Amino acid sequence: MVKIKASKLRDVEIITDTGIRLGWVYDMSFDEETGNILVIVAEPDEDLDVSEFVTDHEGLLLIPTSAIKSIGEVIIVDSNKLAVKSKLRRPRSF
């Protein structure tokens, strides 16, 4: 396993495995008890419609670490595992 310093990830571009540019790493959110990274917080690309993506109160994208496929010159995210609002909606009960 290769170790990467968090400071090296700042401003790294994030794209999906289908080629959609999501934005750039802004920050990370950690679990205080375990120290595990929960989400990467990203500044969205100016051309990205963020209305379907999960964002924080500042409009920054919240990308779960479970969606990350690879980290290198860019971060590749599995579009099928990306947190989008339509996946989080619960069906209505009738």
Side-chain angles (χ1 to χ4, degrees):
M1 172 176 25
V2 176
K3 294 183 181 183
I4 300 172
K5 292 182 179 182
S7 60
K8 294 284 186 187
L9 294 177
R10 177 72 181 204
D11 297 326
V12 170
E13 185 177 20
I14 304 169
I15 60 173
T16 67
D17 54 358
T18 58
I20 297 170
R21 179 184 290 156
L22 298 175
W24 293 265
V25 175
Y26 179 77
D27 207 347
M28 291 180 224
S29 180
F30 294 87
D31 181 309
E32 290 180 13
E33 292 181 16
T34 65
N36 292 332
I37 301 171
L38 300 174
V39 296
I40 290 181
V41 181
E43 175 111 20
D45 184 81
E46 61 185 27
D47 295 329
L48 183 70
D49 177 8
V50 298
S51 64
E52 270 300 303
F53 293 92
V54 176
T55 58
D56 68 3
H57 64 282
E58 295 177 12
L60 298 170
L61 299 175
L62 301 177
I63 301 171
T65 54
S66 60
I68 296 172
K69 290 181 83 169
S70 66
I71 298 175
E73 294 292 317
V74 298
I75 295 176
I76 306 295
V77 175
D78 184 334
S79 57
N80 292 319
K81 294 181 180 178
L82 190 59
V84 292
K85 291 179 182 175
S86 59
K87 290 181 184 178
L88 300 178
R89 290 188 189 123
R90 295 188 180 174
R92 288 185 181 175
S93 299
F94 292 98

